[in-house]
């Protein structure tokens, strides 16, 4: 093999690894942006008592916590996209006293997290297929949408959604932190 070919191969491998690492290094900043999302969610939150209960897929989060980094990041993207879809229903938020600007900033933060993590997912070599967790999380968010519709987008229904989203974001922080640790062990 010629020396120039060898250096070309080494350079291509280096660039490939570098782009994969830089895309996934955003996991290190995920916590900061997520903390801002939680802060905005607290600002949006109303006088929702802790007694408001909503089903949460805790077993699914426990399963994802043990998954590979690629699956954890895909799960974060999927969940963020479902949260965005659920909370981007401003025409149905008449019953709550949330500031439209706060809701807008909250959604911008979620969109940023999702788009940055999608760049990370794009770097993975693993083929994209419907995983069981995607089906389960989709089913969960479908249930949350049904709660809103059934209760005619009442303040109480939005309170349930607010609590569910808060719990999702808190658990997602833990998954992102674990994914970051696993990712850094690889590099």
């Amino acid at each position: 093999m010629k020396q120039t070919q060898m250096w070309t191969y080494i350079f291509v491998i280096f660039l490939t690894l570098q782009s994969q690492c830089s895309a996934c290094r955003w996991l290190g900043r995920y916590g900061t942006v997520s903390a801002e999302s939680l802060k905005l969610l607290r600002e949006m939150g109303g006088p929702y008592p802790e007694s408001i209960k909503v089903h949460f897929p805790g077993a699914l989060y426990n399963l994802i916590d043990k998954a590979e980094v690629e699956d954890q990041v895909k799960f974060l993207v999927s969940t963020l996209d479902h949260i965005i879809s659920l909370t981007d229903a401003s025409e149905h938020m008449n019953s709550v006293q949330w500031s439209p600007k706060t809701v807008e900033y909250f959604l911008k933060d979620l969109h940023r997290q999702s788009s940055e993590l999608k760049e990370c997912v794009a770097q993975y070599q693993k083929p994209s297929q419907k995983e069981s967790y995607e089906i389960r999380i989709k089913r969960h968010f479908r249930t949350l949408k049904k709660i809103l519709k059934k209760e005619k987008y009442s303040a109480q229904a939005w309170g349930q959604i607010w609590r569910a989203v808060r719990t999702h974001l808190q658990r997602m922080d833990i998954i992102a932190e674990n994914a970051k640790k696993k990712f850094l062990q690889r590099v």
Side-chain angles (χ1 to χ4, degrees):
M1 182 185 301
K2 294 181 185 177
Q3 189 172 11
T4 55
Q5 280 182 318
M6 182 181 75
W7 283 110
T8 303
Y9 288 132
I10 291 172
F11 183 71
V12 168
I13 290 170
F14 174 76
L15 284 178
T16 303
L17 290 173
Q18 185 65 28
S19 66
Q20 185 174 10
C21 292
S22 63
C24 292
R25 286 185 200 235
W26 194 83
L27 281 171
R29 293 188 293 267
Y30 177 90
T32 305
V33 178
S34 178
E36 179 64 22
S37 297
L38 281 165
K39 179 180 153 270
L40 290 166
L41 192 64
R42 272 192 302 277
E43 288 176 20
M44 287 164 46
Y48 305 122
E50 293 295 316
S51 63
I52 292 177
K53 300 289 182 206
V54 67
H55 173 71
F56 184 79
L60 177 58
Y61 275 85
N62 293 338
L63 180 70
I64 289 297
D65 209 24
K66 297 175 181 105
E68 295 293 321
V69 174
E70 292 85 357
D71 290 324
Q72 289 177 329
V73 175
K74 287 178 183 178
F75 176 80
L76 292 172
V77 169
S78 178
T79 306
L80 281 166
D81 288 345
H82 284 295
I83 292 171
I84 290 166
S85 173
L86 186 66
T87 56
D88 196 12
S90 57
E91 68 273 6
H92 298 294
M93 291 185 180
N94 299 332
S95 62
V96 289
Q97 303 296 317
W98 296 344
S99 159
K101 277 288 184 207
T102 306
V103 173
E104 179 185 340
Y105 292 144
F106 176 70
L107 287 169
K108 280 183 181 179
D109 272 1
L110 295 181
H111 279 289
R112 177 177 178 206
Q113 291 171 61
S114 177
S115 66
E116 294 284 355
L117 290 174
K118 282 177 183 170
E119 286 184 32
C120 190
V121 168
Q123 300 296 322
Y124 297 141
Q125 303 300 319
K126 196 175 179 182
S128 182
Q129 58 190 26
K130 274 277 193 232
E131 299 288 342
S132 66
Y133 65 80
E134 290 175 343
I135 295 166
R136 291 169 68 183
I137 200 71
K138 183 178 182 177
R139 191 178 311 134
H140 168 72
F141 278 96
R142 193 175 324 129
T143 301
L144 294 179
K145 284 183 180 181
K146 285 179 183 177
I147 290 170
L148 279 173
K149 287 180 183 177
K150 181 181 174 191
E151 297 188 25
K152 297 180 175 63
Y153 300 92
S154 68
Q156 173 126 356
W158 279 111
Q160 288 179 296
I161 301 309
W162 181 88
R163 287 192 42 113
V165 167
R166 182 185 69 177
T167 306
H168 277 288
L169 293 176
Q170 290 168 337
R171 290 294 301 268
M172 289 166 65
D173 276 348
I174 295 167
I175 289 172
E177 187 62 31
N178 290 340
K180 180 178 84 172
K181 287 176 186 174
K182 288 179 185 178
F183 176 75
L184 291 174
Q185 287 174 352
R186 287 185 190 175
V187 177

